[in-house]
Amino acid sequence: MNGTMQVNAQGHLTIGGCDAVELARTYGTPLYVFDEEAVRQRAAEYRQALSSLADSEVIYAGKAFLTVGMAALVKQLGLGLDVVSGGELFTALQASFPPERIFFHGNNKSESELNAALDADVGRIVVDSLYELQQLSQLARARGVTARIYLRLTPGVEAHTHSYIQTGQSDSKFGLAIAGGAAMKAVRQAQELANIQLLGVHCHIGSQIFDTSAFDATVLLMMDFMAAAAQEGHYIKELDLGGGLGIRHTDDDDPMDVKMFGEFLADRLQEAAQERGLPVPKLLIEPGRSLVGEAGTTLYTVGVIKELPGIRTYASVDGGMGDNPRVSLYQAVYEGLVANRMMEPGNHTYTVAGKCCESGDKLLFDVELPKLEPGDILAVPSTGAYNYSMSSNYNLLPRPAVVSVYQGTSEVMVEREQYQDLTRLHKIPQRWR
Ligand SMILES: Cc1ncc(COP(=O)(O)O)c(C=O)c1O
């Protein structure tokens, strides 16, 4: 079981000391439950893991899950924050997140997003293309400011993960390829362009990665690149290796320990720098999923149970692909727990389906659970990352509430959407009235 999960005397699942069945009763379902303690622990582990380095920073990748409350927690934890859009930047600023700790990413930032980043004076803008480099130089010049930048590079590493979440290979919409020379061209241009200060290079090779080999290759390739740049007289002082550490969704997943992972990166970096006669750069990492993924659990209420003899038994819940699109998008695999009957053996096999009008709207496949009854509370763990942030209103289902739990108390981080929220922006054109 993840984070602070336990089972209480009534045989109910508890998270952060709160009874999950009570949470479902109080706040309704579907409900995202956010285990604050689990996030605090992960953040501390990450920081500890990099502590052998003279200079390092842990940046939370906000795309995994960002709300104003989450930005406030990240601020309190002393981490940096990655944002990838004007909306994420706005959300961070709403929480008075220190702009100097914000890293602005994106492969196609709009002019207004770049201007917003410059106006907020964010710590780093991560430039993704030669076009953006020129554009940013002009915008910074017009404002009379200097943009502190990283260049996002694609080192040519293929991480072993789903092809939609691989990003470090050369054939990618992201970044400047090292192979072929685009990356070095960008370094040269960045040094020459007005109002641009090149501080570092960045890469992100993919997500849900379970072994160190791809990270190992990446450190070496990035350090080779930094050595080649140094030979040309361009000294790059900061190296951001992105995120990507996998998490446990099911018992079959065996993720690396955060501490081991961080220590591995720190050691490899120090060795690689020494081998190349370079000073050890400042190391930055940008975990998203591994900071919040296992801290999130979604609670659903079981409704219709449909037995197809000799085929399968479907149990439908009151959420689905609207609150967790990752199953239909990436064939992500999750597990389920029956929160109100944790002590009962899982001796029935179910396919758990959502309530959207799509045959593909399924959450769990052939999972062993106690015999389900309508009204049971199904908990799906490891939904803290890329669930709320990727949720939709498909079928005009209101998005669930998000509740944080900590040491026996619960507090709303995001209110449940109401029907009025669904139509708030709708208009009837004059001719149709
Ligand atoms: C640039 C960048 N950094 C960090 C992350 C976070 O990755 P993860 O959630 O796998 O740790 C992503 C995810 O897509 C990313 O694109």
Side-chain angles (χ1 to χ4, degrees), residues 312 327 331-334 349-352 360 362-368:
R312 69 180 64 251
V327 181
Q331 293 93 46
V333 181
Y334 290 86
T349 308
Y350 293 96
T351 291
V352 175
K362 299 190 184 93
L363 287 173
L364 309 176
F365 299 88
D366 296 330
V367 285
E368 303 291 317

Side-chain angles (χ1 to χ4, degrees), residues 61 63-64 82 105 152 202 204 206-208 242-245 286-290 386:
K63 72 194 74 172
D82 260 19
H105 287 259
R152 176 164 181 167
H202 167 278
H204 169 78
S207 278
Q208 194 58 354
L245 183 62
E286 301 171 331
R289 187 189 315 271
S290 55
Y386 306 105

